[in-house]
Amino acid sequence: MDNPVKILELQKSIEFTNDGNLSFFFVGTGSAFSKKNFQTNVLIIKGADHILIDCGSLCPYAFATYNSSLSSVRNVLITHSHSDHIGGLEEMALTGRYISRTRPKMVITDYYKKILWNQSLKGGCSYGEYSDGSYMKFEDYFEQIKPRLLCKIPRPLYETEIGAINLRIFRTKHIPDNACSWRKSFYSEGILVDDRILFTGDTRFDKDMLDWMCGTYGIEYIFHDCQFYTGGVHASYDELRTLPEDMKKRMFLCHYGDNYEKFDAVKDGFAGFAQRGVYYDFGKS
């Protein structure tokens, strides 16, 4: 590889800044029901800037095990509304308002903001205060960053920046299990970081998406959703094994079950299983 990734151990606590290299810290790498590796939530760091991708139900506890606090997070992006991706978001909202007195920024479209607030967060966050004739709103807890729509074909693609971090956000094919395309799927997102690192988020096997991303951008590494049986709402290990060798050797698998040690991802052509609690340092662009 022209730019091999460096895997660096956590020292005392999570660092939210670095020397300017693009770095991923996996708070967790497990599936929704993992008991060993938390849930697949990742902190992206570059220089003075950071953003947390997803905040699952175990995320606040996971931060504590790394001698860190969720209240240190200033920017967040939520890929979709399953509890392993939003279950800790209410704690982030409430501790921000009543303890740290901060209002994190959230990268979110108007469309998904309405879904996330009305269908998930409103019940626990709206009714704590009442003033001026109304209960609390999304904006009382989070500052919205609206990503720009770049194109609608072959699927919606948005862009925004968190300081030095560039994010391209695209639709994925996750739920329900019988949806024939991303168009028929409930809202879910994947992310391309600095046109270099692809994080698929939760998705079923979707080679069209991978061909589009890898054919358009100079992607160095891929962190891909993975489960160990075929069917359901995630890409299976066996399906991912059918990918071209050049694509697999750049691919770390994440969102996997606790039985991952039964599989030899490197032997099967992948870069390996993503590890939690370490930094993936990709250097400078």
Side-chain angles (χ1 to χ4, degrees):
M1 260 264 182
D2 293 336
N3 190 18
V5 62
K6 295 179 181 178
I7 302 177
L8 308 174
E9 296 292 332
L10 177 72
Q11 298 302 309
K12 294 181 179 179
S13 61
I14 297 173
E15 296 289 341
F16 288 83
T17 62
N18 63 22
D19 61 0
N21 287 359
L22 178 62
S23 179
F24 279 37
F25 179 87
F26 274 86
V27 180
T29 53
S31 68
F33 312 116
S34 174
K35 302 300 182 288
K36 294 180 180 178
N37 289 296
F38 301 129
Q39 298 151 339
T40 298
N41 304 162
V42 57
L43 183 70
I44 300 171
I45 308 149
K46 185 180 181 184
D49 304 303
H50 73 266
I51 184 166
L52 178 66
I53 308 300
D54 291 329
C55 184
S57 53
L58 296 179
C59 193
Y61 172 69
F63 265 81
T65 69
Y66 302 128
N67 301 308
S68 304
S69 172
L70 189 63
S71 63
S72 299
V73 173
R74 293 292 176 265
N75 305 288
V76 63
L77 184 154
I78 301 298
T79 62
H80 67 289
S81 296
H82 277 150
S83 65
D84 54 320
H85 300 269
I86 66 166
L89 202 55
E90 182 176 319
E91 181 171 336
M92 177 186 283
L94 295 174
T95 56
R97 183 164 182 85
Y98 298 111
I99 299 176
S100 63
R101 303 292 181 179
T102 58
R103 193 165 62 113
K105 297 178 180 179
M106 184 184 293
V107 175
I108 191 168
T109 63
D110 285 335
Y111 175 77
Y112 183 47
K113 183 182 81 168
K114 184 177 180 180
I115 293 172
L116 181 63
W117 178 255
N118 288 334
Q119 298 184 17
S120 298
L121 294 180
K122 185 176 180 179
C125 293
S126 184
Y127 305 107
E129 298 178 39
Y130 186 82
S131 63
D132 297 327
S134 66
Y135 291 109
M136 299 179 73
K137 301 178 178 62
F138 176 95
E139 289 75 17
D140 293 309
Y141 294 102
F142 299 100
E143 178 182 345
Q144 181 185 10
I145 298 177
K146 295 183 185 180
R148 305 176 296 275
L149 179 64
L150 295 180
C151 64
K152 294 184 178 180
I153 298 174
R155 62 183 77 190
L157 179 67
Y158 295 84
E159 182 180 36
T160 195
E161 292 81 29
I162 299 296
I165 304 171
N166 179 267
L167 303 173
R168 295 183 191 264
I169 304 157
F170 54 90
R171 288 289 306 276
T172 61
K173 184 177 70 173
H174 179 31
I175 53 174
D177 59 355
N178 62 351
C180 59
S181 72
W182 66 265
R183 291 181 180 86
K184 300 293 185 179
S185 300
F186 185 70
Y187 197 89
S188 59
E189 299 174 340
I191 302 153
L192 176 63
V193 183
D194 283 355
D195 291 353
R196 301 173 60 196
I197 312 300
L198 181 66
F199 177 73
T200 66
D202 285 12
T203 180
R204 289 187 290 140
F205 186 66
D206 190 352
K207 191 168 183 297
D208 288 343
M209 178 271 289
L210 291 170
D211 287 342
W212 170 45
M213 284 281 117
C214 293
T216 305
Y217 302 99
I219 293 174
E220 299 167 18
Y221 290 96
I222 302 165
F223 291 94
H224 202 293
D225 181 19
C226 173
Q227 67 181 17
F228 296 126
Y229 60 93
T230 299
V233 296
H234 299 275
S236 77
Y237 189 85
D238 286 341
E239 288 171 323
L240 294 169
R241 285 179 64 186
T242 68
L243 292 171
E245 293 300 319
D246 180 63
M247 190 179 290
K248 286 196 298 182
K249 72 181 182 182
R250 294 177 281 160
M251 183 175 288
F252 289 95
L253 304 178
C254 55
H255 206 285
Y256 47 77
D258 285 346
N259 58 334
Y260 74 100
E261 292 176 336
K262 296 179 180 179
F263 299 83
D264 190 336
V266 174
K267 182 179 178 181
D268 289 329
F270 299 102
F273 288 110
Q275 305 172 47
R276 72 170 179 89
V278 300
Y279 297 92
Y280 288 82
D281 187 322
F282 302 103
K284 295 181 172 62
S285 299

